[in-house]
Amino acid sequence: MSPARDQSPQGRRRPLVSGNWKMNFTHLEAIQVIQKLSYALDRGPLATVEVSVHPAFTALRSVQTVLDADEIPVALGAQDVHWEDKGPWTGEVSPPMLAKLGVRYVIVGHSERRQRLGETDEQVSMKLRATLRAGMTPICCVGETAEQRDAGETDQVVLGQLGSALEGVAPAEVATMVVAYEPIWAIGTGRTATPGDAGQVCATLRREVGERWGAEAAAGIRILYGGSVDERNAASLLAGDDVDGALVGGASLDPVAFAAIAAAAAAATA
Ligand code: 13P
């Protein structure tokens, strides 16, 4: 993927608003949701903001068909991937399978998978590199628990996750990637980080990318905030210079709310 595709006409990073549908919607429901989203999205701001949706595996094909047929300017995303291309991995889905479906973005290392399904840093790193190998863009999630935050360990935790996930990835590829800072205590709770805190952690992540992968990687990589983003708080959360968009869970299930978040992201970066 060319980094240039993700630059706005002004040469700034193009904000990305991604809807993580998690384990919601049958394929029939997903078709209705994507049609409603198409109707709700204001096409004007989409010149400056990119939008992706991440249905469950069972709905990817249906959503892709509607996106293509109706020429809806929304990128297709997946919520997870395996690191091998094929083989004896019952129940898993490989990078080439997703790439062939037109998937552009793949969420890797979501905290729900790390915490509730035992996904390790090493597996996240393998998934990330496999996603890049297949020509797709990883959205790599990092974030601290409430206890880690209270202990003042936020930077240490997110930088540790970042370093482990991006170990061995070439700077030119890092420049095309997406990282999502999702504090675990803010996911699905209605509590968000303050815009100041979100901006500060995103800036810390970008600084680390600059120190370890160079200035071009730091300038190109997009860093999203996630955790209880909705249509009311999106504008302030996305106002920071280092916040390049949002990874949205609950509010992305409502096409009108999700479209409003995309419009807020466009306004925040105008
Ligand atoms: P909520 O927006 O529901 O808090 O979920 C955030 C998230 O986990 C997105 O990946």
Side-chain angles (χ1 to χ4, degrees):
M1 192 189 74
S2 149
R5 254 164 62 190
D6 300 318
Q7 305 289 315
S8 70
Q10 299 80 29
R12 291 177 53 178
R13 288 181 297 275
R14 189 172 177 201
L16 174 65
V17 175
S18 297
N20 177 6
W21 289 357
K22 306 191 179 180
M23 198 170 70
N24 293 287
F25 302 143
T26 66
H27 71 289
L28 295 176
E29 291 164 341
I31 289 170
Q32 290 188 341
V33 172
I34 199 68
Q35 284 169 334
K36 285 183 188 157
L37 178 63
S38 173
Y39 188 72
L41 276 174
D42 181 353
R43 295 294 193 273
L46 293 181
T48 52
V49 175
E50 193 175 9
V51 174
S52 69
V53 291
H54 300 247
F57 286 136
T58 48
L60 277 174
R61 174 66 167 149
S62 308
V63 171
Q64 177 249 345
T65 304
V66 177
L67 292 177
D68 279 5
D70 295 352
E71 296 183 13
I72 300 170
V74 168
L76 188 62
Q79 299 176 18
D80 187 30
V81 70
H82 195 263
W83 54 84
E84 294 286 345
D85 283 357
K86 60 180 178 178
W89 295 95
T90 302
E92 293 294 319
V93 173
S94 78
M97 292 172 185
L98 295 179
K100 194 75 177 170
L101 263 182
V103 166
R104 177 146 181 227
Y105 291 102
V106 181
I107 296 171
V108 297
H110 193 282
S111 60
E112 286 155 11
R113 298 200 60 81
R114 292 182 191 260
Q115 287 214 309
R116 303 174 71 181
L117 294 163
E119 198 161 294
T120 65
D121 281 347
E122 191 193 2
Q123 290 171 337
V124 173
S125 160
M126 290 193 289
K127 290 179 176 195
L128 186 146
R129 281 177 284 142
T131 298
L132 287 167
R133 262 200 317 277
M136 301 178 291
T137 301
I139 300 179
C140 177
C141 300
V142 300
E144 83 286 4
T145 63
E147 295 73 36
Q148 289 165 333
R149 181 178 188 81
D150 291 344
E153 294 168 0
T154 298
D155 287 1
Q156 183 192 329
V157 169
V158 300
L159 294 180
Q161 290 169 334
L162 180 84
S164 159
L166 295 189
E167 184 73 49
V169 179
E173 288 193 306
V174 173
T176 69
M177 272 196 46
V178 182
V179 168
Y181 168 53
E182 296 207 311
I184 292 167
W185 48 269
I187 294 177
T189 60
R191 275 179 72 200
T192 65
T194 64
D197 284 349
Q200 206 175 338
V201 177
C202 291
T204 300
L205 288 164
R206 194 178 306 285
R207 200 172 321 116
E208 178 83 355
V209 169
E211 280 167 18
R212 294 189 52 181
W213 288 274
E216 273 186 38
I221 193 167
R222 286 179 291 175
I223 304 180
L224 316 183
Y225 169 78
S228 296
V229 175
D230 62 27
E231 65 277 33
R232 291 173 295 279
N233 60 31
S236 56
L237 282 165
L238 303 186
D241 283 349
D242 283 300
V243 185
D244 302 316
L247 181 53
V248 185
S252 74
L253 304 180
D254 173 351
V256 174
F258 188 55
I261 295 169
T269 52

